[in-house]
Amino acid sequence: MMKKQSELYMEISTPVDFNFMECLVHLGRSSQENLYRVQNARVTKVLKLNNELVLFHMTPVKGALRLAFPLGAPTASNSELVRAYVEDWFDLQTDLQDFYAMAQTDSLLSALVQQYRGLRVIGVPDLFEALVWAVMGQQINLTFAYTLKKRFVESYGESLIYEEERYWTFPSPEKIALLSVTDLRALQLTGRKAEYILGIALAMTNGTLSKEQLLQEQDMERSLLEIRGIGAWSANYVMMKCLHSQTAFPLADVGLHNALKVQLNMERKPTQVEITKFAEKWRGWEAYATFYLWRSLL
């Protein structure tokens, strides 16, 4: 932990192929986002770590991300948890050289990787958050999905106020497991989605479901599909955004279809058979190909 102008901070090294400003485009895609705040080139977020709420600002400096702690330094162990979270959030451990080499030879991706080079898959490091977000987003548009998430977070998350702004944490599975379907339906979730979220919360609370367990599975997709409410799209979304599977491919994703329609100058959306054919060259990097195509829509 270092100190500059009376503010405590630490720095996290970033890869050569990292563009924070490109990542901010994705982070700033919804005005309803309430789990962090983007202001100019700074991201502010609060995490709950070992029963402590830790607020930090994040800004880019040469070769690193600088994290400042305006409310005081977290403990040494929580500082390391913040570091791990940010590295996970921005996928800083992945070497993209092979992806870029592949993409430069692909007629669909070559222009995108030139335009957005340094963009990383912006993850959802918390498994419960990733699963809930995947369930909430099923068969609705992105705007309403953000509305539901905002209500969920502000009803059951924890928060603190800094400089007259309130910062929220995502609700814990332990807290959600104590709720009823009626409680969640009050947020305008369907009864079925409420049941799914409660089931996930219970499984995580009793230890039958965890990120650590999934990461050890040889077939993560199959394990995710065994969770009630998680289908192929949701499973691949969670694999991509939380479990860092580079081969995750949400084939049925509407955003992917729309992006391909635009990039291919088609009058209709491509079929899943056509998408599978397009994606043959992407093998091993389907997640990044999808994320760069999503970026083209912003």
Side-chain angles (χ1 to χ4, degrees):
M1 193 71 63
M2 296 168 278
K3 192 172 184 179
K4 183 179 181 181
Q5 296 178 340
S6 301
E7 189 172 70
L8 295 161
Y9 73 92
M10 68 179 182
E11 292 185 355
I12 300 174
S13 296
T14 53
V16 174
D17 287 314
F18 178 71
N19 187 328
F20 186 66
M21 301 310 292
E22 268 302 325
C23 294
L24 287 187
V25 174
H26 178 84
L27 290 173
R29 65 182 179 155
S30 174
S31 62
Q32 295 193 84
E33 179 59 66
N34 62 352
L35 290 173
Y36 53 83
R37 184 169 279 105
V38 178
Q39 297 169 304
N40 300 318
R42 186 178 80 175
V43 177
T44 304
K45 183 172 179 62
V46 64
L47 295 173
K48 186 175 184 182
L49 305 168
N50 297 318
N51 294 315
E52 177 188 6
L53 292 180
V54 178
L55 182 82
F56 61 92
H57 300 311
M58 180 166 49
T59 52
V61 295
K62 186 176 181 180
L65 289 174
R66 176 171 290 172
L67 275 60
F69 300 93
L71 298 181
T75 64
S77 60
N78 282 349
S79 294
E80 289 308 306
L81 290 174
V82 172
R83 180 186 297 275
Y85 185 95
V86 170
E87 289 178 344
D88 197 339
W89 192 9
F90 289 90
D91 195 26
L92 297 180
Q93 300 298 322
T94 298
D95 185 343
L96 295 183
Q97 291 304 306
D98 288 346
F99 168 64
Y100 287 136
M102 176 277 292
Q104 286 166 2
T105 68
D106 183 86
S107 58
L108 265 173
L109 297 179
S110 57
L112 298 182
V113 296
Q114 288 181 20
Q115 188 171 357
Y116 309 131
R117 194 176 185 96
L119 174 67
R120 298 265 156 172
V121 169
I122 307 301
V124 182
D126 179 74
L127 178 64
F128 184 58
E129 180 183 340
L131 287 166
V132 170
W133 184 227
V135 169
M136 283 185 177
Q138 292 169 3
Q139 299 180 325
I140 60 174
N141 63 48
L142 190 61
T143 300
F144 187 51
Y146 269 107
T147 298
L148 290 176
K149 187 178 80 165
K150 187 173 187 290
R151 292 172 183 165
F152 184 75
V153 168
E154 294 180 3
S155 295
Y156 300 110
E158 295 186 42
S159 68
L160 58 75
I161 295 174
Y162 172 70
E163 293 186 342
E164 300 181 355
E165 298 282 359
R166 187 174 293 276
Y167 294 88
W168 292 92
T169 67
F170 197 79
S172 68
E174 293 81 7
K175 188 167 188 176
I176 301 304
L178 299 174
L179 302 178
S180 67
V181 169
T182 302
D183 293 327
L184 294 183
R185 280 182 58 85
L187 307 178
Q188 280 193 287
L189 283 161
T190 65
R192 191 61 59 87
K193 286 185 179 181
E195 291 173 5
Y196 296 158
I197 289 169
L198 291 174
I200 291 165
L202 184 61
M204 294 197 67
T205 299
N206 66 25
T208 59
L209 174 63
S210 73
K211 184 174 181 177
E212 293 72 24
Q213 291 168 353
L214 286 171
L215 287 170
Q216 292 174 5
E217 294 285 349
Q218 289 188 341
D219 191 341
M220 289 189 291
E221 183 174 5
R222 185 180 67 181
S223 297
L224 285 163
L225 290 172
E226 291 174 355
I227 301 169
R228 184 167 179 252
I230 300 299
W233 176 85
S234 297
N236 278 273
Y237 178 86
V238 172
M239 289 164 60
M240 173 183 178
K241 298 280 279 180
C242 184
L243 303 176
H244 295 289
S245 169
Q246 307 306 343
T247 59
F249 194 27
L251 188 60
D253 186 78
V254 174
L256 174 65
H257 298 180
N258 288 334
L260 285 168
K261 177 185 174 183
V262 172
Q263 294 300 315
L264 294 165
N265 293 314
M266 297 177 71
E267 294 184 359
R268 58 169 177 83
K269 294 178 183 178
T271 67
Q272 291 191 20
V273 172
E274 288 172 325
I275 295 171
T276 301
K277 183 68 175 177
F278 297 145
E280 286 179 356
K281 291 183 181 178
W282 309 343
R283 193 160 296 148
W285 289 102
E286 292 90 340
Y288 262 88
T290 299
F291 202 73
Y292 271 66
L293 283 160
W294 284 347
R295 168 64 182 88
S296 71
L297 295 173
L298 299 178

